[in-house]
Amino acid sequence: MTSTQPAPSPVRPPRSMLSIRPQARVPRTDAGLQPGDVISNPISGETFRFLRTADSTGGQLLELDCTVTPGGRVAVPLLHVHPKQSETFEVLEGSIRTVVGGIEATHGPGETVVIPAGVPHIWENASADRPLRFRVRLEPPGHWEALFATTFDLARRGETLPDGRVPLVPMAVNLHHSPEHFYLAGPPVWAQKILFAVLAGVGWLLGYRPGRRLETGTGGVLPSPGQATSSWTVTPCG
């Protein structure tokens, strides 16, 4: 006679293992920027020195010092909104002119401007003969490091429009890749999303890719306005 052996019971992991859940991924920047790095835009007159990045804060915030030449202004000189990020300006030197939610104001050293997410705004250096320096905080940081790096690099290479705006097709590629970061204050957001999606497809066919990765040669500093080109190079993020 042949004896039949009972089927082995399935091996179950210990209860402690069943209760383990994967940890949430911490958002990371694809710009390769570190605290202390500096980038400059020769058209808008902005120079950013990064103090805290998405990586260094575990995806909580982006903090930087922004120095603006006399008469300088935001790199994209259009009334715009950030749907998901709140923005705070702390004026350190000079004066800044802002339009926030339709209200125009000028702020000096020691004053703070808080721009809640979704509120239309724009800013510029209020002085034509004095530089402006203010601290910027973006919460959460999203992909702003990569978007800043892309915009500044295109300006440095002479690939923006004369007023510093990124041409529509490469802008659409980046904004479609990083939705909920930047929209114009006028047209409906849903219409802008459709436009960005269509133009992003065209951009990919033309060879544009979203995001930029900065690779430093010596010193890790892009040239300030008026300086010669440095050893920084820019390659598309793969």
Side-chain angles (χ1 to χ4, degrees), residues 8 10 34 50 63 68-70 96 101 106 110 153 162 166 174 191 205 212:
Q34 301 293 327
F50 291 88
E63 184 178 53
V68 189
T69 56
I96 185 172
T106 300
D153 179 67
V166 177
N174 281 278
L205 293 176
R212 299 278 181 167

Side-chain angles (χ1 to χ4, degrees), residues 153-172:
D153 179 67
L154 291 173
R156 186 171 62 90
R157 292 161 54 179
E159 297 179 11
T160 64
L161 301 176
D163 64 357
R165 287 178 295 162
V166 177
L168 191 55
V169 170
M171 179 179 73

Side-chain angles (χ1 to χ4, degrees), residues 120-132:
H121 62 281
I122 193 170
W123 64 265
E124 65 180 1
N125 186 346
S127 174
D129 52 19
R130 294 182 58 194
L132 162 68

Side-chain angles (χ1 to χ4, degrees), residues 76-162:
V76 181
L78 299 168
L79 198 64
H80 60 277
V81 298
H82 306 309
K84 300 296 184 181
Q85 291 90 19
S86 65
E87 200 168 13
T88 303
F89 299 158
E90 178 187 349
V91 184
L92 304 175
E93 299 176 19
S95 57
I96 185 172
R97 181 180 296 113
T98 62
V99 177
V100 179
I103 300 175
E104 181 175 345
T106 300
H107 305 272
E111 294 187 273
T112 299
V113 183
V114 178
I115 307 169
V119 175
H121 62 281
I122 193 170
W123 64 265
E124 65 180 1
N125 186 346
S127 174
D129 52 19
R130 294 182 58 194
L132 162 68
R133 187 167 70 90
F134 64 106
R135 187 154 296 169
V136 181
R137 295 183 185 89
L138 278 160
E139 302 176 71
H143 297 159
W144 273 109
E145 292 161 47
L147 292 172
F148 287 144
T150 300
T151 302
F152 282 31
D153 179 67
L154 291 173
R156 186 171 62 90
R157 292 161 54 179
E159 297 179 11
T160 64
L161 301 176

